[in-house]
Coordinates of all heavy atoms in Angstrom, one line a residue:
E1 N 4.5 10.4 11.4 CA 4.3 8.9 11.3 C 2.9 8.6 10.8 O 2.6 7.8 9.9 CB 4.5 8.3 12.6 CG 4.3 6.8 12.6 CD 4.5 6.2 14.0 OE1 5.2 6.8 14.9 OE2 4.1 5.1 14.2
G2 N 1.8 9.3 11.4 CA 0.5 9.0 11.0 C 0.2 9.4 9.6 O -0.5 8.6 8.9
T3 N 0.7 10.5 9.1 CA 0.5 10.9 7.7 C 1.2 10.0 6.8 O 0.6 9.6 5.7 CB 1.0 12.4 7.6 OG1 0.3 13.2 8.5 CG2 0.6 12.9 6.2
V4 N 2.4 9.6 7.1 CA 3.1 8.7 6.2 C 2.5 7.4 6.1 O 2.3 6.8 5.0 CB 4.6 8.6 6.6 CG1 5.3 7.4 6.0 CG2 5.4 9.9 6.4
K5 N 2.0 6.8 7.2 CA 1.3 5.5 7.2 C 0.0 5.6 6.4 O -0.3 4.7 5.7 CB 1.0 5.1 8.7 CG 2.2 4.5 9.4 CD 1.8 4.0 10.7 CE 3.0 3.3 11.5 NZ 2.6 2.9 12.8
R6 N -0.7 6.7 6.6 CA -1.9 6.9 5.8 C -1.7 6.9 4.3 O -2.3 6.2 3.5 CB -2.6 8.2 6.2 CG -3.9 8.4 5.6 CD -4.5 9.7 6.0 NE -5.0 9.6 7.4 CZ -5.6 10.6 8.0 NH1 -5.7 11.8 7.5 NH2 -6.0 10.4 9.3
R7 N -0.6 7.6 3.9 CA -0.3 7.7 2.5 C 0.2 6.4 2.0 O -0.1 6.0 0.9 CB 0.8 8.8 2.4 CG 1.1 9.1 0.9 CD 2.2 10.2 0.8 NE 2.6 10.6 -0.5 CZ 2.3 10.1 -1.7 NH1 1.5 9.1 -1.8 NH2 2.8 10.6 -2.8
E8 N 1.1 5.8 2.7 CA 1.6 4.4 2.3 C 0.5 3.4 2.1 O 0.6 2.6 1.2 CB 2.7 3.9 3.3 CG 4.0 4.7 3.3 CD 5.0 4.3 4.3 OE1 4.6 3.6 5.3 OE2 6.2 4.7 4.2
F9 N -0.5 3.4 3.0 CA -1.5 2.5 2.9 C -2.3 2.7 1.6 O -2.6 1.7 0.9 CB -2.5 2.6 4.1 CG -3.5 1.5 4.1 CD1 -3.2 0.2 4.4 CD2 -4.9 1.9 3.9 CE1 -4.2 -0.8 4.4 CE2 -5.8 0.9 3.9 CZ -5.5 -0.4 4.2
V10 N -2.7 3.9 1.3 CA -3.4 4.2 0.1 C -2.6 3.9 -1.2 O -3.1 3.2 -2.1 CB -3.9 5.7 0.0 CG1 -4.5 6.1 -1.3 CG2 -4.8 6.0 1.2
E11 N -1.3 4.2 -1.1 CA -0.4 3.9 -2.2 C -0.3 2.4 -2.4 O -0.3 1.9 -3.6 CB 0.9 4.5 -2.0 CG 1.9 4.3 -3.2 CD 3.1 5.1 -3.1 OE1 3.3 5.9 -2.2 OE2 4.0 4.9 -4.0
K12 N -0.3 1.6 -1.3 CA -0.2 0.1 -1.4 C -1.5 -0.4 -2.1 O -1.4 -1.3 -2.9 CB -0.1 -0.5 0.0 CG -0.1 -2.0 0.0 CD -0.2 -2.5 1.4 CE -1.7 -2.6 1.8 NZ -2.0 -3.4 3.0
L13 N -2.6 0.2 -1.7 CA -3.9 -0.3 -2.3 C -3.9 0.0 -3.8 O -4.3 -0.9 -4.7 CB -5.1 0.3 -1.6 CG -5.3 0.0 -0.2 CD1 -6.5 0.7 0.4 CD2 -5.6 -1.5 0.0
F14 N -3.4 1.2 -4.2 CA -3.4 1.5 -5.7 C -2.4 0.6 -6.4 O -2.6 0.2 -7.5 CB -3.0 3.0 -5.9 CG -4.2 3.9 -5.9 CD1 -4.3 5.0 -5.0 CD2 -5.3 3.7 -6.7 CE1 -5.4 5.8 -4.9 CE2 -6.4 4.6 -6.8 CZ -6.4 5.6 -5.9
R15 N -1.2 0.4 -5.7 CA -0.2 -0.5 -6.4 C -0.8 -1.9 -6.6 O -0.6 -2.5 -7.7 CB 1.0 -0.6 -5.5 CG 2.2 -1.2 -6.2 CD 3.5 -1.3 -5.3 NE 3.8 0.0 -4.7 CZ 3.6 0.3 -3.4 NH1 3.2 -0.6 -2.6 NH2 3.9 1.5 -2.9
C16 N -1.5 -2.4 -5.6 CA -2.1 -3.8 -5.7 C -3.2 -3.8 -6.8 O -3.3 -4.7 -7.6 CB -2.6 -4.2 -4.4 SG -1.4 -4.6 -3.2
A17 N -3.9 -2.7 -6.9 CA -5.0 -2.6 -8.0 C -4.3 -2.6 -9.3 O -4.8 -3.2 -10.3 CB -5.8 -1.3 -7.8
I18 N -3.2 -1.9 -9.5 CA -2.5 -1.8 -10.8 C -1.9 -3.2 -11.1 O -2.1 -3.7 -12.2 CB -1.4 -0.8 -10.7 CG1 -2.0 0.6 -10.7 CG2 -0.4 -0.9 -11.9 CD1 -1.0 1.8 -10.3
D19 N -1.3 -3.8 -10.1 CA -0.7 -5.1 -10.3 C -1.7 -6.2 -10.6 O -1.4 -7.2 -11.3 CB 0.1 -5.6 -9.0 CG 1.4 -4.7 -8.8 OD1 1.8 -4.0 -9.8 OD2 1.9 -4.8 -7.7
N20 N -2.9 -6.0 -10.1 CA -4.0 -7.0 -10.3 C -4.8 -6.7 -11.6 O -5.7 -7.4 -11.9 CB -5.0 -6.8 -9.1 CG -5.1 -8.0 -8.3 OD1 -4.2 -8.9 -8.3 ND2 -6.1 -8.1 -7.5
G21 N -4.4 -5.7 -12.3 CA -5.0 -5.4 -13.6 C -6.4 -4.7 -13.4 O -7.2 -4.8 -14.4
E22 N -6.6 -4.1 -12.3 CA -7.9 -3.4 -12.1 C -7.9 -2.1 -12.7 O -9.0 -1.4 -12.7 CB -8.2 -3.3 -10.6 CG -8.3 -4.7 -9.9 CD -8.5 -4.5 -8.3 OE1 -9.0 -3.5 -7.9 OE2 -8.0 -5.5 -7.6
T23 N -6.8 -1.6 -13.1 CA -6.7 -0.2 -13.7 C -6.2 -0.2 -15.1 O -5.5 -1.2 -15.5 CB -5.8 0.7 -12.8 OG1 -4.5 0.2 -12.8 CG2 -6.3 0.8 -11.4
K24 N -6.4 0.8 -15.8 CA -5.9 1.0 -17.2 C -5.4 2.4 -17.4 O -5.8 3.1 -18.2 CB -7.1 0.7 -18.2 CG -8.2 1.7 -18.0 CD -9.2 1.7 -19.2 CE -10.2 2.8 -18.9 NZ -11.1 3.1 -19.9
T25 N -4.4 2.7 -16.6 CA -3.9 4.1 -16.6 C -2.4 4.1 -16.6 O -1.7 3.1 -16.3 CB -4.4 4.8 -15.3 OG1 -3.9 6.1 -15.4 CG2 -3.9 4.2 -14.1
E26 N -1.9 5.2 -17.2 CA -0.4 5.4 -17.2 C 0.1 5.9 -15.8 O 1.2 6.0 -15.6 CB 0.0 6.4 -18.3 CG -0.4 5.9 -19.7 CD 0.4 4.6 -20.1 OE1 1.6 4.6 -19.8 OE2 -0.2 3.7 -20.7
L27 N -0.9 6.4 -15.0 CA -0.5 6.9 -13.7 C 0.0 5.8 -12.8 O -0.5 4.7 -12.8 CB -1.7 7.6 -13.1 CG -2.3 8.8 -13.8 CD1 -3.6 9.2 -13.1 CD2 -1.3 9.9 -13.8
T28 N 1.0 6.2 -12.0 CA 1.6 5.2 -11.0 C 0.7 5.2 -9.8 O -0.1 6.1 -9.6 CB 3.0 5.6 -10.7 OG1 3.0 6.9 -10.0 CG2 3.9 5.8 -11.9
A29 N 1.0 4.3 -8.9 CA 0.3 4.2 -7.6 C 0.6 5.5 -6.8 O -0.3 6.1 -6.2 CB 0.8 3.0 -6.8
N30 N 1.8 6.0 -6.9 CA 2.2 7.3 -6.3 C 1.3 8.5 -6.8 O 0.8 9.3 -6.1 CB 3.7 7.6 -6.4 CG 4.1 8.9 -5.7 OD1 3.9 9.0 -4.6 ND2 4.6 9.8 -6.5
D31 N 1.2 8.5 -8.2 CA 0.4 9.6 -8.8 C -1.0 9.5 -8.3 O -1.6 10.5 -8.0 CB 0.4 9.4 -10.3 CG 1.8 9.6 -11.0 OD1 2.6 10.3 -10.4 OD2 2.0 9.0 -12.1

């Protein structure tokens, strides 16, 4: 549970950064 929550949180931040146009990469939030 702790590891999954940690990973999901980081992925959420990357997803929001991508959605907000803060990144210019082909990599996904998961990547």
Side-chain angles (χ1 to χ4, degrees):
E1 180 183 341
T3 305
V4 167
K5 281 184 178 179
R6 183 180 287 179
R7 188 184 181 349
E8 287 175 345
F9 186 72
V10 173
E11 188 171 353
K12 176 190 88 168
L13 294 177
F14 273 123
R15 190 177 315 105
C16 290
I18 291 167
D19 292 347
N20 246 16
E22 297 174 30
T23 65
K24 59 165 187 175
T25 180
E26 298 294 318
L27 297 173
T28 66
N30 180 59
D31 295 335

